[in-house]
Amino acid sequence: MADIPDQEIETSPLGGIVTRDGVMVQVHIYRFAGSDDEWTLEVVDHEGGHTTWTDTFANDEDAFKAFEQAVAKDGIRSFVKQQVEH
């Protein structure tokens, strides 16, 4: 098996803790550092459940917008204790 070097991860400044309606989640927006890869979006709730989007995003603003749209549509509680893919 070939050795795969560790790659640094670049995180977006748009990610972080978001609290709405008394529910706190951690928004992770990331890609491989130094690359032109698209951004990945993941939301982790306070109990460790996570929601990961299967689509990637051309920029971190689009990723955060997708999070905001999901909150507007389904509410922030939709992320609690889930392990789903969007």
Side-chain angles (χ1 to χ4, degrees):
M1 180 174 203
D3 288 320
I4 300 173
D6 291 336
Q7 276 194 279
E8 297 279 328
I9 299 293
E10 174 182 5
T11 58
S12 168
L14 297 176
I17 295 173
V18 175
T19 304
R20 298 212 181 116
D21 300 326
V23 175
M24 181 179 69
V25 297
Q26 179 77 37
V27 177
H28 298 281
I29 302 171
Y30 57 89
R31 68 179 177 180
F32 288 119
S35 74
D36 289 329
D37 289 350
E38 292 196 336
W39 294 87
T40 297
L41 172 61
E42 181 177 8
V43 178
V44 180
D45 73 21
H46 65 283
E47 296 179 0
H50 68 275
T51 302
T52 304
W53 274 248
T54 55
D55 293 332
T56 55
F57 303 89
N59 56 59
D60 57 345
E61 292 92 359
D62 287 347
F64 191 75
K65 189 183 301 182
F67 164 73
E68 296 248 309
Q69 289 171 341
V71 170
K73 179 182 176 214
D74 300 322
I76 193 131
R77 293 188 195 294
S78 68
F79 293 108
V80 176
K81 262 197 143 182
Q82 292 192 36
Q83 294 187 351
V84 298
E85 295 182 348
H86 275 269

